[in-house]
Amino acid sequence: MITLKKYLPTLSLLVFIAVWQGLAIYINRNTLPTPEAVAKVFWLECSSGRLPFHLGVTLLRLITGFSIAMLLGCATGIALGRNKKLDAFFDNWLVIFLNIPALVTIILCYVWFGLTESAAILAVVINKLPNVIVTIREGARSLDQDLLEMAQSYHLGKRKTLIHVIWPQLYPFVMGATRTGLALIWKIILLVELLGRSNGMGYQLHLFFQLFDVASLLAYTIAFVAVTQLIEFMVLKPLDNKAQRWRR
Amino acid sequence: MATIHIDIHSKIYPSVERAKLHQAIANLYLSLHAEEFVCLVGPSGCGKTTLLNIIAGLDADFKGDITIEHRHDHPMIGYVFQNPRLLPWLTVRENIELVVSDRRSTDVIDALLETMQLKQVQHSYPERLSLGMSRRVAIIRAFVINPDILLMDEPFVSLDAPTARQVRELLRQLWLQRPHTVLFVTHDLREAIALADRIVFLSSAPMRVVSEIKVPLAKTERNDDQAVELFRQQIINNYPEINMLL
């Protein structure tokens, strides 16, 4: 039973590809290419250097937008979570920004600041920021008062208190914001590229849409999914495990 | 060498939603001499923890004054809270090291871990410890900073009797080696007799001092259960008003 359980994820992936293959053969049209055809396109696009280039451009935008949003969001979230007056004042703003559709902010950014790289990054940041703030604010509100009192009575000082008392408590919330944030940015960034950039995954997908090139579309999607999985297993999971080791 | 003058006119918890306004302390006057070991005994919920928090500077919302006379401006205060309050993401040893600022304390920490029988678990995380063990770690954490004032809020509750006795003797011994002013909250009169120079009996809320009794027992007598019990009977017979509080 144990060995079977180990192979279940691989098995499910194989079943998925088999179903896809069967469906593609049954429908037999250009709109649903077989896995084999998609793999061929994927290989071609990779060896021509086109896919890596556009993926790289998108990743760079993702990292920039994500870092700015996380830094600003953490600082603001902590401030709002620890200061009731500040929170009462800015709460409305937060609700407004949370509910503005992503498409609106993107269009406005391009209209106001032109079809530039910084406008694209700004649009990503504005869409992501309120989410980070809300999550981190929740974390800052739920800080354990007992432990803060301990830190205060033992004169731990600002630096030690931040590193050893506050940060470990905020960590799960930061990880939460990272996960939901990455998922959100992936989706928004394609839209940003589609609307106002001449490179990146979003731009390419737009191109394939106009050409009705479903095989390329799926090939790029696979690259996309692979990268997100890679980030999950190479970066997020190890970070999680490291922070959880003290738990029973 | 810290002398503490406590002069609290009132400490009030304002009403929050359906909880009514609560006066925790009213006209509490108490002085602790330098290097004195004082036990506070009173009914539970009478405001002893509130008093310790005020002295520790964690609660500034009261009417009155706490004056601490000491050679430094900021005397080191070791506080053993009612619950251990260890950081769960640091090991036992890291929890202790966190509060000391210099690296030279390694030997001191080793010695304390040894006496408290925690050497084997020093690299474990607090969640794996029993409550009794966690309490002992919290006590080490208070000792290791070499406090001028030591505040202890029922630190030996839930320790089994032999361990409690052992830690109690250790506390008294450490205090004799390096005297500091101790304020020790307990509801166990025997424990108070075994430890204190002076026992202060407190009323239920709003808290004030009911009476004070000096404990003139010698070291051997403090470790002798019969002598402690004899003194307890004396107190109960001589001070009927205290009986109400126990």
Side-chain angles (χ1 to χ4, degrees), chain A residues 138-157:
Chain A
E138 217 50 57
R141 274 179 186 161
S142 64
L143 287 181
D144 189 334
Q145 202 58 38
D146 280 5
L147 294 182
L148 290 175
E149 278 184 4
M150 187 279 291
Q152 193 190 341
S153 70
Y154 279 94
H155 301 291
L156 288 193

Side-chain angles (χ1 to χ4, degrees), chain A residues 146 149 154 160 164 168-169 246, chain B residues 79 83 85 88-89 98 142:
Chain A
D146 280 5
E149 278 184 4
Y154 279 94
K160 269 189 179 175
H164 295 294
Q169 296 186 65
W246 53 271
Chain B
Y79 195 164
N83 46 352
R85 301 198 188 181
W89 39 84
L98 183 71

Side-chain angles (χ1 to χ4, degrees), chain B residues 50-61:
Chain B
T50 305
L51 175 63
L52 291 194
N53 281 343
I54 289 175
I55 296 170
L58 298 177
D59 186 347
D61 182 22

Side-chain angles (χ1 to χ4, degrees), chain A residues 169-209:
Chain A
Q169 296 186 65
L170 283 183
Y171 191 84
F173 293 88
V174 174
M175 284 307 287
T178 303
R179 283 234 163 72
T180 56
L182 277 178
L184 185 80
I185 289 187
W186 274 125
K187 284 161 192 160
I188 289 165
I189 209 157
L190 296 191
L191 211 58
V192 169
E193 289 173 344
L194 186 147
L195 284 172
R197 299 275 75 208
S198 53
N199 51 25
M201 301 290 279
Y203 170 77
Q204 284 296 98
L205 292 179
H206 185 50
L207 208 67
F208 300 141
F209 170 50

Side-chain angles (χ1 to χ4, degrees), chain B residues 17-30:
Chain B
E17 285 173 18
R18 292 171 72 184
K20 286 196 185 117
L21 178 144
H22 174 72
Q23 174 143 29
I25 302 175
N27 300 322
L28 182 102
Y29 309 109
L30 183 64

